[in-house]
Amino acid sequence: DAAESLGASWTAGPLAGRHTGTVGSAGILSFNGNKIMATGGGGMVVTDDEKAADHIKFLVNQARDPSKGYYHSEVGFNYRMTNLEAALGLAQFERLGEFLEKKRRFREIYQEALKGLVEFQEEYEGGESSWWLTSIKLPDNIQMSVEDLQKKLKEKGIPSRRIFMPIVEFPPYKKFRNGDYKNAYEIYRRGLNLPSSTLNDKEQIKTAAKIIYEVIKG
């Protein structure tokens, strides 16, 4: 699952030069509207297994055997991407380098403005992040809750979003709970994603960073 990491790669070790999503038997990438590049929805499966690729193409076309008319030999899915979406995706892909550079610059702006005030998600050693979102964690010496911070930022026109809730909180997965998941809950409790859309420019991010600093400092 490389849904949010398009453009991220390993820079050292045995996987140096490989991109996320290309290591396992198959990888998936999301092109939803909030991702680094978008097609309006949907995504892509990547694999170097030609047999698997052919089967995936079969399944996304409702598992219909065209030689037998409307005959479906397996449970299939209507997951086809339209030509218009594909054209948009190709145009967006041409700008991927620009988008990745913008994301990296946004993180640098936040880090410069909020250094010493909050904790930042760090880049994996031996890897290069795509910085889909700039994520921070409020240290314990800051008494404000993430919910209060979000509320105050919203009042000043700055959107934000929580770090994902631990999956064992969702009804279908609660039965698989096996431990306290201390880190996952701590990141959810004290973590926040800052405005990072490529629709923003550097000046807007600098303004957002300044307001975030002022709100946290009180």
Side-chain angles (χ1 to χ4, degrees), residues 194-215:
L194 306 183
S196 306
S197 171
T198 54
L199 295 176
N200 296 126
D201 58 35
K202 288 186 290 186
E203 293 306 313
Q204 289 172 323
I205 297 299
K206 287 179 181 178
T207 298
K210 180 175 182 290
I211 292 173
I212 293 167
Y213 180 88
E214 291 171 349
V215 169

mmCIF file of all heavy atoms in Angstrom, residues 194-215:
data_model
loop_
_atom_site.group_PDB
_atom_site.id
_atom_site.type_symbol
_atom_site.label_atom_id
_atom_site.label_comp_id
_atom_site.label_asym_id
_atom_site.label_seq_id
_atom_site.Cartn_x
_atom_site.Cartn_y
_atom_site.Cartn_z
ATOM 1 N N LEU A 194 -0.779 19.462 8.823
ATOM 2 C CA LEU A 194 -0.908 20.879 8.497
ATOM 3 C C LEU A 194 -1.276 21.065 7.026
ATOM 4 O O LEU A 194 -1.080 20.164 6.211
ATOM 5 C CB LEU A 194 0.414 21.590 8.799
ATOM 6 C CG LEU A 194 0.956 21.409 10.223
ATOM 7 C CD1 LEU A 194 2.234 22.226 10.405
ATOM 8 C CD2 LEU A 194 -0.090 21.791 11.259
ATOM 9 N N PRO A 195 -1.804 22.240 6.647
ATOM 10 C CA PRO A 195 -2.148 22.494 5.243
ATOM 11 C C PRO A 195 -0.951 22.220 4.328
ATOM 12 O O PRO A 195 0.133 22.778 4.545
ATOM 13 C CB PRO A 195 -2.525 23.975 5.241
ATOM 14 C CG PRO A 195 -2.988 24.252 6.629
ATOM 15 C CD PRO A 195 -2.131 23.392 7.506
ATOM 16 N N SER A 196 -1.140 21.361 3.341
ATOM 17 C CA SER A 196 -0.019 20.943 2.487
ATOM 18 C C SER A 196 -0.398 20.804 1.024
ATOM 19 O O SER A 196 0.365 20.249 0.236
ATOM 20 C CB SER A 196 0.533 19.598 2.987
ATOM 21 O OG SER A 196 0.878 19.640 4.348
ATOM 22 N N SER A 197 -1.560 21.287 0.638
ATOM 23 C CA SER A 197 -2.024 21.109 -0.732
ATOM 24 C C SER A 197 -1.159 21.892 -1.722
ATOM 25 O O SER A 197 -0.748 23.022 -1.451
ATOM 26 C CB SER A 197 -3.480 21.570 -0.863
ATOM 27 O OG SER A 197 -3.885 21.599 -2.217
ATOM 28 N N THR A 198 -0.921 21.284 -2.871
ATOM 29 C CA THR A 198 -0.166 21.972 -3.918
ATOM 30 C C THR A 198 -0.972 23.125 -4.523
ATOM 31 O O THR A 198 -0.433 23.897 -5.319
ATOM 32 C CB THR A 198 0.242 20.991 -5.035
ATOM 33 O OG1 THR A 198 -0.917 20.302 -5.515
ATOM 34 C CG2 THR A 198 1.254 19.986 -4.525
ATOM 35 N N LEU A 199 -2.230 23.255 -4.151
ATOM 36 C CA LEU A 199 -3.017 24.412 -4.591
ATOM 37 C C LEU A 199 -2.568 25.672 -3.850
ATOM 38 O O LEU A 199 -2.870 26.789 -4.274
ATOM 39 C CB LEU A 199 -4.508 24.172 -4.351
ATOM 40 C CG LEU A 199 -5.152 23.033 -5.153
ATOM 41 C CD1 LEU A 199 -6.606 22.855 -4.737
ATOM 42 C CD2 LEU A 199 -5.059 23.321 -6.643
ATOM 43 N N ASN A 200 -1.861 25.479 -2.728
ATOM 44 C CA ASN A 200 -1.313 26.611 -1.990
ATOM 45 C C ASN A 200 -0.006 27.062 -2.616
ATOM 46 O O ASN A 200 0.639 26.331 -3.377
ATOM 47 C CB ASN A 200 -1.045 26.217 -0.525
ATOM 48 C CG ASN A 200 -2.314 25.874 0.225
ATOM 49 O OD1 ASN A 200 -2.417 24.802 0.817
ATOM 50 N ND2 ASN A 200 -3.276 26.757 0.212
ATOM 51 N N ASP A 201 0.394 28.298 -2.292
ATOM 52 C CA ASP A 201 1.730 28.759 -2.678
ATOM 53 C C ASP A 201 2.557 28.998 -1.417
ATOM 54 O O ASP A 201 2.062 28.872 -0.295
ATOM 55 C CB ASP A 201 1.664 30.028 -3.548
ATOM 56 C CG ASP A 201 0.955 31.193 -2.867
ATOM 57 O OD1 ASP A 201 1.094 31.338 -1.628
ATOM 58 O OD2 ASP A 201 0.273 31.968 -3.550
ATOM 59 N N LYS A 202 3.820 29.341 -1.600
ATOM 60 C CA LYS A 202 4.732 29.472 -0.457
ATOM 61 C C LYS A 202 4.283 30.562 0.507
ATOM 62 O O LYS A 202 4.418 30.416 1.726
ATOM 63 C CB LYS A 202 6.149 29.755 -0.964
ATOM 64 C CG LYS A 202 6.813 28.560 -1.620
ATOM 65 C CD LYS A 202 8.266 28.834 -1.976
ATOM 66 C CE LYS A 202 8.388 29.822 -3.110
ATOM 67 N NZ LYS A 202 9.798 29.973 -3.556
ATOM 68 N N GLU A 203 3.765 31.649 -0.012
ATOM 69 C CA GLU A 203 3.337 32.742 0.863
ATOM 70 C C GLU A 203 2.158 32.328 1.732
ATOM 71 O O GLU A 203 2.071 32.709 2.902
ATOM 72 C CB GLU A 203 2.987 33.978 0.029
ATOM 73 C CG GLU A 203 4.182 34.606 -0.676
ATOM 74 C CD GLU A 203 5.317 34.918 0.294
ATOM 75 O OE1 GLU A 203 5.045 35.506 1.369
ATOM 76 O OE2 GLU A 203 6.467 34.570 -0.010
ATOM 77 N N GLN A 204 1.251 31.551 1.173
ATOM 78 C CA GLN A 204 0.110 31.070 1.955
ATOM 79 C C GLN A 204 0.574 30.133 3.071
ATOM 80 O O GLN A 204 0.061 30.177 4.187
ATOM 81 C CB GLN A 204 -0.883 30.360 1.035
ATOM 82 C CG GLN A 204 -1.624 31.310 0.099
ATOM 83 C CD GLN A 204 -2.449 30.580 -0.937
ATOM 84 O OE1 GLN A 204 -2.038 29.531 -1.444
ATOM 85 N NE2 GLN A 204 -3.620 31.111 -1.255
ATOM 86 N N ILE A 205 1.548 29.288 2.767
ATOM 87 C CA ILE A 205 2.079 28.374 3.778
ATOM 88 C C ILE A 205 2.827 29.154 4.857
ATOM 89 O O ILE A 205 2.725 28.832 6.058
ATOM 90 C CB ILE A 205 2.993 27.310 3.138
ATOM 91 C CG1 ILE A 205 2.194 26.445 2.156
ATOM 92 C CG2 ILE A 205 3.649 26.451 4.204
ATOM 93 C CD1 ILE A 205 1.051 25.676 2.781
ATOM 94 N N LYS A 206 3.558 30.183 4.479
ATOM 95 C CA LYS A 206 4.248 31.019 5.468
ATOM 96 C C LYS A 206 3.230 31.686 6.397
ATOM 97 O O LYS A 206 3.453 31.776 7.611
ATOM 98 C CB LYS A 206 5.093 32.083 4.762
ATOM 99 C CG LYS A 206 6.353 31.537 4.107
ATOM 100 C CD LYS A 206 7.124 32.649 3.404
ATOM 101 C CE LYS A 206 8.385 32.114 2.732
ATOM 102 N NZ LYS A 206 9.128 33.168 2.009
ATOM 103 N N THR A 207 2.117 32.147 5.834
ATOM 104 C CA THR A 207 1.060 32.763 6.648
ATOM 105 C C THR A 207 0.461 31.736 7.594
ATOM 106 O O THR A 207 0.247 32.014 8.786
ATOM 107 C CB THR A 207 -0.041 33.340 5.743
ATOM 108 O OG1 THR A 207 0.528 34.372 4.916
ATOM 109 C CG2 THR A 207 -1.170 33.932 6.570
ATOM 110 N N ALA A 208 0.193 30.535 7.073
ATOM 111 C CA ALA A 208 -0.366 29.467 7.911
ATOM 112 C C ALA A 208 0.597 29.128 9.045
ATOM 113 O O ALA A 208 0.183 28.978 10.199
ATOM 114 C CB ALA A 208 -0.647 28.232 7.063
ATOM 115 N N ALA A 209 1.883 29.023 8.733
ATOM 116 C CA ALA A 209 2.888 28.688 9.746
ATOM 117 C C ALA A 209 2.945 29.754 10.838
ATOM 118 O O ALA A 209 3.049 29.440 12.031
ATOM 119 C CB ALA A 209 4.253 28.523 9.093
ATOM 120 N N LYS A 210 2.850 31.008 10.435
ATOM 121 C CA LYS A 210 2.891 32.118 11.390
ATOM 122 C C LYS A 210 1.694 32.066 12.334
ATOM 123 O O LYS A 210 1.831 32.235 13.554
ATOM 124 C CB LYS A 210 2.913 33.447 10.634
ATOM 125 C CG LYS A 210 2.966 34.692 11.506
ATOM 126 C CD LYS A 210 3.100 35.937 10.628
ATOM 127 C CE LYS A 210 3.199 37.205 11.476
ATOM 128 N NZ LYS A 210 1.933 37.525 12.151
ATOM 129 N N ILE A 211 0.525 31.795 11.775
ATOM 130 C CA ILE A 211 -0.695 31.723 12.597
ATOM 131 C C ILE A 211 -0.632 30.522 13.533
ATOM 132 O O ILE A 211 -1.013 30.607 14.701
ATOM 133 C CB ILE A 211 -1.934 31.661 11.690
ATOM 134 C CG1 ILE A 211 -2.109 32.999 10.944
ATOM 135 C CG2 ILE A 211 -3.192 31.342 12.500
ATOM 136 C CD1 ILE A 211 -3.206 32.983 9.894
ATOM 137 N N ILE A 212 -0.157 29.375 13.020
ATOM 138 C CA ILE A 212 -0.039 28.182 13.873
ATOM 139 C C ILE A 212 0.889 28.462 15.048
ATOM 140 O O ILE A 212 0.593 28.111 16.187
ATOM 141 C CB ILE A 212 0.473 26.992 13.043
ATOM 142 C CG1 ILE A 212 -0.587 26.576 11.999
ATOM 143 C CG2 ILE A 212 0.812 25.797 13.929
ATOM 144 C CD1 ILE A 212 -0.077 25.641 10.933
ATOM 145 N N TYR A 213 1.999 29.134 14.769
ATOM 146 C CA TYR A 213 2.952 29.481 15.829
ATOM 147 C C TYR A 213 2.277 30.364 16.875
ATOM 148 O O TYR A 213 2.391 30.125 18.083
ATOM 149 C CB TYR A 213 4.149 30.204 15.222
ATOM 150 C CG TYR A 213 5.188 30.615 16.229
ATOM 151 C CD1 TYR A 213 6.225 29.763 16.599
ATOM 152 C CD2 TYR A 213 5.144 31.873 16.845
ATOM 153 C CE1 TYR A 213 7.177 30.126 17.531
ATOM 154 C CE2 TYR A 213 6.084 32.256 17.789
ATOM 155 C CZ TYR A 213 7.101 31.379 18.117
ATOM 156 O OH TYR A 213 8.034 31.747 19.065
ATOM 157 N N GLU A 214 1.570 31.388 16.438
ATOM 158 C CA GLU A 214 0.936 32.326 17.348
ATOM 159 C C GLU A 214 -0.140 31.657 18.198
ATOM 160 O O GLU A 214 -0.277 31.929 19.394
ATOM 161 C CB GLU A 214 0.331 33.486 16.548
ATOM 162 C CG GLU A 214 1.406 34.376 15.910
ATOM 163 C CD GLU A 214 0.802 35.389 14.947
ATOM 164 O OE1 GLU A 214 -0.407 35.257 14.618
ATOM 165 O OE2 GLU A 214 1.529 36.298 14.489
ATOM 166 N N VAL A 215 -0.899 30.744 17.573
ATOM 167 C CA VAL A 215 -1.966 30.053 18.298
ATOM 168 C C VAL A 215 -1.375 29.133 19.370
ATOM 169 O O VAL A 215 -1.861 29.094 20.516
ATOM 170 C CB VAL A 215 -2.865 29.252 17.322
ATOM 171 C CG1 VAL A 215 -3.796 28.320 18.093
ATOM 172 C CG2 VAL A 215 -3.688 30.205 16.467
#
